Structure formats: C-alpha cells, structure tokens
Amino acid sequence: MSEPYQIDPNTEEPAPPFQVLDLDGSLRQTPTHLPSDLELQDSYRLMRFVRLLDEQFLNAQRQGRISFYGTCTGQEAAVLGSALALETGDSCVQALREGAAALLRGYSLVSYVNQVFGNQDDVTFGRQMPCHYTDAKNGHLSLSSPVANQVPQAVGMAYAEKVKGTDRVVMSYMGDGGTAEADFHIAMNFAVLWKAPVVFVCQNNQWAISTPVQEQSATPTIAERSAAYNMPGIRVDGNDLLAVYDACKEAVKRAREGHGPAFIEALTYRVGPHSTSDDPSRYRDEDVTKTWATKRDPIDRLKLYLLSKGLLTEDEDSAMSDTFTAKIKSHMSKAENLSPPEKWSLFTDVFAETPHHLRRQASEAGIEIPDHPPRPSSPDAPASRPWAPSTK
C-alpha cells in the first residue's frame, strides 16, 4: 500500500493526507496504481452526471415529488475512485452517498430512478427509502438506514467468500459518524480475526449530520484507529480521485491475495445538507463550505488533469451539462409517471409461496394475490448509461 499515514506524537496537527493530484490538476507524485485513460474519462463523465442528477433530485424533493434524498455533492471522487478499484464479481456495501458506485459498476440508471420514486418498476416495490439501491447482479447491497449497521454485514459477506474459496473482495462504506458506532468496532475486530477480504472506506466528510468530527473522536484522524486492530490504515485526500484509487486498488489487491482487511479514510467535505431533511446553515460556517466547494472541488481538479493530458476538451466539457440534464429529466419524467407498486406486493416476498394466513389477510383487505406474482427486473446497464460518450 502507499505509505500509511503516521501520527507524529510531537505535533498537534496530523500530517497531510496522501495526495496524487494537486489542486491545479498537476501530479504531486507518481501513483503505484493509475486508472486507464478510458476509466478516467468514464469516471469524469459520471462525476459530472451524478452532480447534475443530485441537483435534479434535490429539486424534486423540494417540489414534493419524492420523499427524501441524500446527495454526494463534493464527494464524487471518494465514491468513484474507490469503486473503480473493484473488479467484476466483487461486492460493494454502500452507506448513504454511494449510489454513483452502483452506476459505475453496472447498475441501470432506469432502476436507480425507479428506486427513488418507488414506483411499480422499482425492484424493491417501493419498500425502501430513496437512495437504498440494491443490485444483486452487480454485487451492490443496499445500505441499512441505522448508521453503520451495514459494516458487520460486509465483514460477514467477505468471510463467506473466504470460506467458499473465492478471490472476491467486499468494499464496505461508512461515514465519519459511523465510526462512532459499536457496529464499526465489532466489524473491525472480526475482520482482522477472520482475515476477511474486506476493504473499509470511511468517507470523512467532517459532519455526522450536525455533529462535527472533532466532537466524535479524540484521535486526530480516523485512519489511525485501524492500528488498534492491527489493521493497515491510510488517510487520503478524498477529493483526489487518483489518490483514492491508488490506495483502494492496493488495499483490494492485498485483500484478494489473502492478506486480510485494510482501512481507508477519505478526507472530504459534505458540501450539501446531510439529506433533504437537513439545514446545515443552522449549525456550521457556510463560508468554510464555500471554500471547499470552490477551491477543492474534486470535479474541477480531475478536469484540469484530463485537459492537461489531452483526454478532455473544453468543448466536450461544456456540452455535458445540457446533454446530461436533458437525459436525467427524461428518465425522471418516465419514472414519475409510472403507477405505484401493486397492492398485492404488500403480501409477497416474505415466503417462497404465499401462505394461507397472508392470503386471508389480503382477501380481507379486498386484494387478490396472483398465483405467480411478477417481479420488476433491472434492465441491462449498457442501455442506460447516458453519461457515456456517443458512439455515433
């Protein structure tokens, strides 16, 4: 792994996080692992796309069209840089802001939008809150709404792969607030004891809803906690896609080779509210937020790098906003106009065969359950990757 972050006991301030890209898009150092040119171009386009997607869904919630939404604005590099390090067959266990990881790994945008609206084509029949995406085909597990509840689940999944003798790796996400939960510490301990092939990625966006990270932990960083479990840990610049990828790729490689778990703290900032239920101006200095949004934006940094490498032109970049926004609105319009899930779906999916008592309850409610209840299916992703460049 790239040189682990080390705390200097003689200083009060932690050393800077591992960084590959400077703020001006130039390379500070040559990384051990670098995405291909095509991966970089695709990741950048998806970062731009997700930024606009989040804006549209945030507006939709404010208009009363959806119930809830959590954006990843300002954190796109941490999400996509980490997910890019995984391979086909690996699994990803998300927290609130990793929907873009699912899209990168093959989750259909059609399914993504249907899930947020909870309509008849939502594969979970509208039973989950928005942003709880699940895609078994591409190894993406829905988050659990209780904070950090998904972290022990990820360890169990990874240990199962070890028992089965596969070389698959599980990536588990959490926020800085999640590391204050008992589930986090339990997961870290068992991951090391079992030498489970799991990579923990903490998006430290410095706010657990309204609680700043300084009030959550007495340690200067979150990454250093891994030492207590005899686990490698590193703190990276979470707004630097190349740094996140480099650290995660090495951690994934290490886990795949049977060397056990690793912990990565991606230092970033939550530019937007915690969710649509939150008003961050009530508890934080929004001048600090403005600085992160304007001077440390992960999209701007990667754009400068791609421009310098000839992998992007200003004209291509300028054309993305209108094109992507139009496609997003089209998908949202289609999803919004679909009917809600069938009422009989309240009684299905609990048992392989719907038992008598559930059929009786449905009958008493005036609902008829089909003999073979149909399930919505997720379309193939290639038909729904509107951020990809045109092949015409």
Side-chain angles (χ1 to χ4, degrees):
M1 184 179 291
S2 305
E3 188 63 25
Y5 173 78
Q6 297 291 334
I7 293 292
D8 181 351
N10 298 313
T11 64
E12 294 183 0
E13 294 296 325
F18 172 67
Q19 191 177 75
V20 173
L21 281 181
D22 215 330
L23 295 179
D24 63 2
S26 62
L27 285 178
R28 293 175 62 93
Q29 58 184 300
T30 302
T32 304
H33 305 280
L34 188 67
S36 69
D37 289 350
L38 287 176
E39 287 175 328
L40 284 171
Q41 290 170 314
D42 192 50
S43 296
Y44 177 75
R45 293 178 68 89
L46 183 52
M47 287 170 75
R48 287 288 312 276
F49 187 87
V50 169
R51 178 72 62 88
L52 295 166
L53 183 67
D54 281 353
E55 289 176 3
Q56 291 300 316
F57 272 121
L58 183 62
N59 291 338
Q61 194 279 335
R62 299 307 190 215
Q63 295 163 357
R65 296 159 59 197
I66 60 173
S67 61
F68 171 92
Y69 196 76
T71 72
C72 74
T73 303
Q75 300 179 219
E76 294 90 350
V79 176
L80 295 179
S82 54
L84 193 62
L86 296 172
E87 296 180 8
T88 301
D90 293 338
S91 294
C92 179
V93 182
Q94 74 163 85
L96 176 59
R97 306 182 199 283
E98 287 79 29
L103 293 174
L104 180 75
R105 303 190 68 237
Y107 187 50
S108 164
L109 179 67
V110 173
S111 296
Y112 183 108
V113 177
N114 286 337
Q115 198 283 323
V116 175
F117 279 101
N119 59 33
Q120 66 183 35
D121 285 350
D122 172 20
V123 296
T124 56
F125 290 105
R127 295 173 183 151
Q128 280 277 35
M129 289 175 64
C131 304
H132 289 52
Y133 315 105
T134 184
D135 182 21
K137 182 168 56 179
N138 291 293
H140 194 90
L141 182 69
S142 168
L143 76 143
S144 301
S145 289
V147 175
N149 181 241
Q150 74 278 0
V151 187
Q153 297 169 10
V155 175
M157 290 169 60
Y159 184 61
E161 297 295 346
K162 179 180 179 179
V163 170
K164 290 188 292 185
T166 77
D167 67 349
R168 293 174 177 171
V169 175
V170 178
M171 184 168 283
S172 175
Y173 291 94
M174 82 283 307
D176 46 290
T179 66
E181 296 289 331
D183 278 345
F184 166 77
H185 297 281
I186 292 167
M188 293 282 281
N189 190 50
F190 276 101
V192 174
L193 287 174
W194 292 342
K195 220 170 184 179
V198 58
V199 175
F200 299 104
V201 178
C202 171
Q203 285 207 71
N204 178 6
N205 65 20
Q206 305 180 53
W207 291 95
I209 306 184
S210 59
T211 304
V213 67
Q214 296 88 345
E215 295 182 13
Q216 302 171 44
S217 171
T219 57
T221 73
I222 295 174
E224 67 192 272
R225 296 185 190 177
S226 63
Y229 298 97
N230 197 26
M231 184 189 302
I234 182 172
R235 193 187 211 204
V236 303
D237 183 340
N239 285 18
D240 176 353
L241 183 134
L242 298 189
V244 175
Y245 175 83
D246 191 20
C248 289
K249 193 70 175 178
E250 185 65 23
V252 168
K253 175 177 177 290
R254 181 179 179 278
R256 200 181 308 282
E257 292 173 351
H259 301 300
F263 182 85
I264 294 160
E265 175 191 358
L267 181 63
T268 181
Y269 196 83
R270 196 194 74 212
V271 171
H274 169 73
S275 72
T276 46
S277 305
D278 176 43
D279 178 7
S281 67
R282 295 172 62 89
Y283 55 79
R284 71 182 186 186
D285 182 354
E286 293 297 66
D287 286 340
V288 175
T289 305
K290 184 178 180 181
T291 298
W292 278 86
T294 57
K295 297 184 178 181
R296 301 187 64 87
D297 188 286
I299 295 179
D300 290 345
R301 197 187 308 190
L302 185 59
K303 173 186 173 180
L304 291 171
Y305 176 74
L306 295 181
L307 288 171
S308 71
K309 300 290 288 186
L311 299 175
L312 178 71
T313 67
E314 288 285 4
D315 288 343
E316 289 172 338
D317 189 61
S318 298
M320 289 183 197
S321 292
D322 290 344
T323 301
F324 289 172
T325 300
K327 291 179 177 180
I328 290 167
K329 287 183 175 181
S330 175
H331 277 78
M332 290 176 65
S333 177
K334 291 176 182 177
E336 191 171 15
N337 287 321
L338 290 175
S339 301
E342 296 285 351
K343 292 180 180 179
W344 51 255
S345 68
L346 290 167
F347 300 91
T348 57
D349 284 358
V350 180
F351 300 95
E353 297 291 336
T354 307
H356 173 73
H357 73 280
L358 288 183
R359 288 189 174 275
R360 175 179 55 78
Q361 291 174 24
S363 177
E364 290 173 352
I367 298 171
E368 182 178 353
I369 300 177
D371 290 334
H372 302 285
R375 285 200 60 83
S377 60
S378 179
D380 291 334
S384 183
R385 289 175 62 87
W387 59 88
S390 174
T391 56
K392 293 182 180 180

